[in-house]
């Protein structure tokens, strides 16, 4: 999957490329000579560590550490994938893996939760996007590398781990005891919100996500009698995935035009992806929900639909990961994950470290219904008020619909706002 997909771990769009293609072209020595002074320093340090370190260290260990440090020093997403991590990545692309079910990165020396994956131990335990993991099983996480943290968090299904997190708005750290499990990823969920108004949730972008989404939308259209009045596409806490999946999802709603393009230094890093004719909704209104946990491929979709004015983007500013990682196998057992390009929205916006700003911003709030005040008086409450000769009896399902709306409002304020916007657009378009 196009994130560094120890899926409990990795995030960001990437492209798998063959070893031969990557190294077929070498930079001539005459164009850029080897930094001999720096290499001498490296050799001196290497020798000193071998000779004077408190415990014996093998050459292989030292070189592994050197390679790892060289890559991790570039940016938060480049990394050295040793045999264990490379194998985990390859297993992760199948959509099933062991772990907690969270996407993490590094921020200010701490392990930061990008987003919990739907229906996983981490999400069910209450882990939220933006949480800073400060302890793992009581061990301080400050200064811990991403690979070290991942190694601690991974384990046999059924075993437990204690995460201590710092959350914005909380006065003291929170502790979570989470049981590891095999993570089975269902990337698409769907349902009808109300007659004519549908909801599709994309938890992440896998290779079959676009096809699964199209099948779900067609099933909803059939249920609605042939067409939809509007659709809510939920990309909240979607950490990304394969670039091709994001392109295909965007293409499903666009008739034409550029979806995304990438620019980098290497040959083959400049790519453009364009939409083909055909809109699965046939022009019906579309609202896309995003938040701070929407990253990478999610931002490609939101940016493309926003630039083409095909959807209203609603929620909070997205994560801001606008770079492309490439998995480059070094051998059959090890590889490197290297940032090779930045991607841009159709209007030429780079969202790196900026994110997608929603068209309609929503605060992160919970709503609670207020009890009716006895001081509130309406005309119908007044003694001897005139009756309304045109008053009609309420419809049988009116109370039922009101109950559903109230439940949605309390459970998911943002989704309720998206539904209200779709209703407004539908009413206005009829007029």
């Amino acid at each position: 999957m196009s994130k560094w997909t120890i899926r409990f771990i990795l995030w960001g769009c990437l492209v798998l490329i063959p070893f031969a293609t990557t190294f077929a072209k070498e930079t001539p020595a005459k164009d850029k000579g080897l930094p001999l002074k720096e290499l001498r320093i490296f050799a001196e340090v290497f020798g000193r560590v071998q000779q004077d370190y408190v415990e014996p260290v093998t050459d292989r260990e030292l070189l592994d550490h050197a390679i790892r440090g060289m890559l991790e020093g570039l940016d938060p997403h480049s990394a050295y994938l040793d045999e264990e991590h490379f194998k985990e990545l390859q297993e992760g692309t199948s959509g099933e893996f062991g772990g907690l079910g969270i996407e993490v990165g590094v921020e200010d020396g701490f392990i930061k939760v990008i987003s919990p994956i739907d229906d996983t131990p981490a999400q069910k335990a209450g882990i939220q996007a933006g949480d800073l993991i400060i302890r793992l099983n009581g061990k301080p996480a400050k200064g811990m590398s991403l690979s070290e943290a991942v190694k601690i968090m991974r384990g046999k299904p059924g075993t437990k781990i204690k995460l201590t997190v710092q959350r914005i708005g909380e006065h003291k750290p929170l502790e979570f005891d989470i049981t590891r499990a095999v993570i089975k990823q269902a990337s698409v969920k769907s349902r009808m919100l109300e007659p004519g108004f549908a909801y599709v949730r994309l938890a992440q972008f896998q290779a079959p996500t676009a096809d699964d989404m199209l099948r779900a939308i067609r099933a909803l259209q059939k249920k609605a009698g042939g067409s939809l009045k509007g659709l809510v596409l939920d990309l909240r806490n979607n950490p990304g995935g394969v670039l091709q999946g994001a392109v295909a999802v965007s293409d499903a709603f666009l008739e034409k035009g550029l979806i995304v393009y990438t620019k980098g230094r290497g040959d083959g890093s400049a790519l453009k992806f364009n939409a083909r004719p055909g809109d699965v909704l046939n022009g019906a209104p579309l609202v896309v929900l995003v938040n701070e946990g929407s990253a990478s491929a999610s931002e490609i979709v939101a940016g493309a639909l926003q630039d083409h004015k095909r959807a209203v983007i609603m929620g909070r500013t997205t994560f801001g990961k606008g770079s492309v990682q490439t998995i480059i196998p070094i051998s059959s057992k090890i590889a490197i994950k290297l940032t090779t390009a930045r991607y841009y929205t159709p209007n030429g916006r780079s969202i790196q470290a900026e994110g997608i700003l929603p068209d309609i911003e929503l605060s992160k709030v919970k709503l609670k219904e207020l009890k009716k005040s006895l001081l509130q008086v309406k005309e119908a409450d007044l003694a001897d008020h005139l009756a309304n000769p045109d008053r009609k009896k309420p419809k049988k399902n009116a109370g039922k619909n009101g109950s559903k709306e109230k439940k949605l409002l309390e459970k998911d304020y943002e989704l309720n706002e998206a539904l209200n916007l779709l209703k407004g657009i539908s009413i206005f378009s009829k007029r």
Side-chain angles (χ1 to χ4, degrees):
M1 131 166 337
S2 174
K3 299 191 279 196
W4 85 272
T5 317
I6 315 173
R7 284 290 328 160
F8 147 150
I9 330 164
L10 308 270
W11 39 292
C13 289
L14 55 85
V15 180
L16 296 179
I17 60 175
F19 170 82
T21 302
T22 306
F23 293 100
K25 190 174 182 180
E26 298 182 357
T27 303
K30 63 180 181 180
D31 292 341
K32 191 172 183 179
L34 293 173
L36 298 180
K37 181 181 177 181
E38 287 75 13
L39 287 174
R40 288 192 190 99
I41 294 172
F42 177 83
E44 175 69 18
V45 173
F46 189 91
R48 288 289 183 180
V49 174
Q50 273 190 326
Q51 178 180 318
D52 298 330
Y53 188 62
V54 65
E55 293 178 352
V57 188
T58 66
D59 291 351
R60 179 174 179 177
E61 285 180 295
L62 287 177
L63 290 171
D64 276 356
H65 293 328
I67 296 170
R68 196 180 306 278
M70 175 171 58
L71 290 162
E72 291 181 357
L74 297 174
D75 62 65
H77 311 298
S78 295
Y80 173 57
L81 304 180
D82 57 21
E83 185 174 350
E84 180 184 355
H85 287 133
F86 190 31
K87 183 179 180 181
E88 287 170 346
L89 183 145
Q90 291 170 316
E91 289 173 350
T93 59
S94 66
E96 183 174 309
F97 56 94
L100 303 181
I102 52 176
E103 302 287 336
V104 295
V106 178
E107 182 175 288
D108 298 328
F110 287 106
I111 306 301
K112 183 177 181 178
V113 177
I114 306 308
S115 67
I117 300 172
D118 286 359
D119 301 322
T120 61
Q123 188 209 40
K124 292 174 182 177
I127 297 294
Q128 296 181 10
D131 285 349
L132 288 180
I133 300 174
I134 58 177
R135 287 182 178 271
L136 292 165
N137 276 339
K139 183 179 180 180
K142 176 72 172 178
M144 191 179 289
S145 71
L146 194 60
S147 58
E148 286 176 310
V150 166
K151 195 169 185 179
I152 294 173
M153 287 188 281
R154 292 185 69 90
K156 291 183 179 179
T159 59
K160 290 188 175 182
I161 183 172
K162 178 176 284 187
L163 267 60
T164 306
V165 309
Q166 187 66 56
R167 180 176 297 166
I168 295 175
E170 297 290 340
H171 299 297
K172 60 181 182 179
L174 306 175
E175 290 189 343
F176 297 89
D177 289 309
I178 307 176
T179 302
R180 298 178 179 94
V182 173
I183 310 301
K184 295 183 178 180
Q185 298 172 292
S187 64
V188 180
K189 293 181 180 180
S190 62
R191 70 178 191 271
M192 294 297 296
L193 296 172
E194 287 186 15
F197 297 99
Y199 169 84
V200 172
R201 160 79 177 150
L202 301 185
Q204 60 184 327
F205 289 88
Q206 300 173 333
T209 295
D211 289 337
D212 292 344
M213 183 193 73
L214 288 171
R215 277 192 292 270
I217 290 175
R218 288 178 183 126
L220 291 168
Q221 288 171 328
K222 185 176 181 181
K223 193 172 182 179
S227 62
L228 294 172
K229 296 178 183 178
L231 174 73
V232 177
L233 181 65
D234 190 352
L235 299 181
R236 291 173 295 177
N237 294 325
N238 181 322
V242 291
L243 176 62
Q244 290 80 357
V247 169
V249 166
S250 303
D251 189 10
F253 304 106
L254 296 173
E255 291 282 2
K256 62 180 180 179
L258 188 61
I259 294 173
V260 66
Y261 66 95
T262 64
K263 289 194 299 186
R265 293 173 58 221
D267 295 338
S269 63
L271 301 171
K272 287 187 177 181
F273 299 90
N274 293 285
R276 296 166 296 178
D279 175 358
V280 67
L281 294 179
N282 297 314
L286 176 64
V287 173
V288 179
L289 283 175
V290 297
N291 65 4
E292 58 281 348
S294 306
S296 194
S298 299
E299 296 171 293
I300 289 177
V301 175
L305 297 179
Q306 187 179 55
D307 282 3
H308 284 287
K309 302 186 183 338
R310 176 61 187 90
V312 176
I313 311 301
M314 178 180 281
R316 293 183 295 281
T317 303
T318 59
F319 183 75
K321 183 181 182 299
S323 60
V324 180
Q325 281 67 51
T326 301
I327 297 299
I328 305 174
I330 303 301
S331 70
S332 60
K333 295 183 178 181
I334 62 174
I336 62 173
K337 179 167 72 79
L338 191 65
T339 299
T340 54
R342 288 184 175 88
Y343 62 75
Y344 298 81
T345 70
N347 288 350
R349 293 182 294 161
S350 170
I351 61 171
Q352 176 60 28
E354 292 291 335
I356 296 293
L357 184 66
D359 300 306
I360 300 176
E361 291 195 65
L362 299 176
S363 298
K364 194 173 184 179
V365 298
K366 284 186 178 180
L367 298 186
K368 186 177 181 180
E369 185 182 24
L370 296 176
K371 293 182 180 179
K372 184 178 179 181
S373 172
L374 296 176
L375 298 176
Q376 292 176 328
V377 178
K378 301 172 70 174
E379 172 72 17
D381 298 320
L382 299 177
D384 300 323
H385 66 271
L386 291 175
N388 188 331
D390 298 326
R391 184 180 181 185
K392 297 179 182 178
K393 292 183 179 180
K395 295 180 180 179
K396 290 183 179 180
N397 63 344
K400 189 176 180 182
N401 286 338
S403 177
K404 280 185 177 181
E405 289 179 10
K406 176 183 172 183
K407 187 176 180 181
L408 181 60
L409 178 63
E410 293 179 350
K411 186 178 179 181
D412 194 336
Y413 161 71
E414 294 162 10
L415 177 55
N416 188 77
E417 288 297 286
L419 176 59
N420 283 337
L421 178 59
L422 285 177
K423 287 180 180 178
I425 294 173
S426 177
I427 293 170
F428 185 78
S429 63
K430 287 179 181 178
R431 292 177 179 173

